[in-house]
Amino acid sequence: FYSGWNEQPLQVVYRHKAAKFRFEDIRLMEQEEQDAYIADFAERDKAEGFHFSSGELMRVSVLRTGEEAYRFVWSFHHILMDGWCLFLIVGEAFHTYF
């Protein structure tokens, strides 16, 4: 999103712009250590925020917590999705997952 174009905000949609993706394997941590790490990870992710100047308005993180267990952290700027469309997108994501 750019401001200052014809005194109106302008949304630019890139053809090839990947979301930031992070993967961390924390299986070797004890359960209490994992819980603390995940809580801290979520706080740091939230504090990172989003900046229109970078063009990155979404992040996806996967934390592997066990042999077949993961934590999924999906962060995005509110300008991308509101409560109405978030319901549809999360429903589609879960449908695809299942």
Side-chain angles (χ1 to χ4, degrees):
F1 291 88
Y2 295 100
S3 61
W5 180 81
N6 221 10
E7 298 185 24
Q8 297 291 321
L10 174 68
Q11 180 181 8
V12 176
V13 179
Y14 296 98
R15 289 185 192 272
H16 305 285
K17 180 80 171 169
K20 188 172 185 179
F21 179 79
R22 301 176 187 163
F23 177 84
E24 292 187 38
D25 188 341
I26 60 172
R27 288 178 291 172
L28 297 178
M29 295 179 185
E30 297 294 327
Q31 184 64 51
E32 287 181 8
E33 191 179 5
Q34 279 187 4
D35 292 343
Y37 183 84
I38 292 167
D40 181 64
F41 182 93
E43 284 299 316
R44 286 184 285 123
D45 184 73
K46 185 177 180 180
E48 188 174 336
F50 294 96
H51 307 282
F52 289 131
S53 61
S54 72
E56 179 182 281
L57 300 177
M58 185 182 314
R59 292 186 295 272
V60 174
S61 303
V62 175
L63 307 175
R64 187 171 186 182
T65 57
E67 290 306 312
E68 295 185 17
Y70 300 83
R71 287 290 184 103
F72 180 73
V73 180
W74 183 15
S75 305
F76 53 87
H77 194 285
H78 178 70
I79 201 166
L80 294 182
M81 291 183 266
D82 60 12
W84 182 83
C85 74
L86 181 60
F87 173 78
L88 298 173
I89 291 171
V90 169
E92 187 174 325
F94 275 107
H95 177 75
T96 301
Y97 175 77
F98 292 125

